Amino acid sequence: MLNPGIPLIAPIAVLQLIAQAGGLNTFANRKRIFILRGSKGDLQRLKFNYSSAIHGDVNQNIDLQPGDTVIVP
C-alpha cells in the first residue's frame, strides 16, 4: 500500500510516485489503479494499469497534477 500524503514538489508521473512511496505490495491490484482528479462537481477517474506501464505503454504513465489522489486497491 502506498503512503498517503506524498506532496508534489515537481512534475511527477504515476510510476515515479509509486517508486518514491516504496512500490506496491504483493496484494496491490496492478491493473486497477486509478487517479482521482478535480473537485466534487467535476471529479474525473483516470485508469492506470501498472502492468502495462512497466512493459512500455507510455500512455499509461500519467503526469500527476496537484490535488490528484492515486488509489491502489
Side-chain angles (χ1 to χ4, degrees):
M1 179 170 236
L2 296 177
N3 298 325
I6 296 174
L8 288 178
I9 54 174
I12 191 170
V14 181
L15 281 178
Q16 292 171 295
L17 180 77
I18 290 171
Q20 281 186 0
L24 300 175
N25 71 22
T26 306
F27 302 105
N29 189 334
R30 288 159 167 72
K31 296 182 179 182
R32 296 194 182 225
I33 296 169
F34 62 93
I35 297 107
L36 294 178
R37 176 175 289 167
S39 59
K40 247 184 183 178
D42 186 31
L43 193 62
Q44 296 177 329
R45 183 177 168 153
L46 308 170
K47 295 179 182 179
F48 174 74
N49 185 322
Y50 179 84
S51 297
S52 293
I54 63 170
H55 286 99
D57 185 351
V58 293
N59 294 321
Q60 285 295 316
N61 201 15
I62 299 166
D63 289 327
L64 296 171
Q65 299 176 2
D68 284 356
T69 302
V70 178
I71 307 294
V72 181

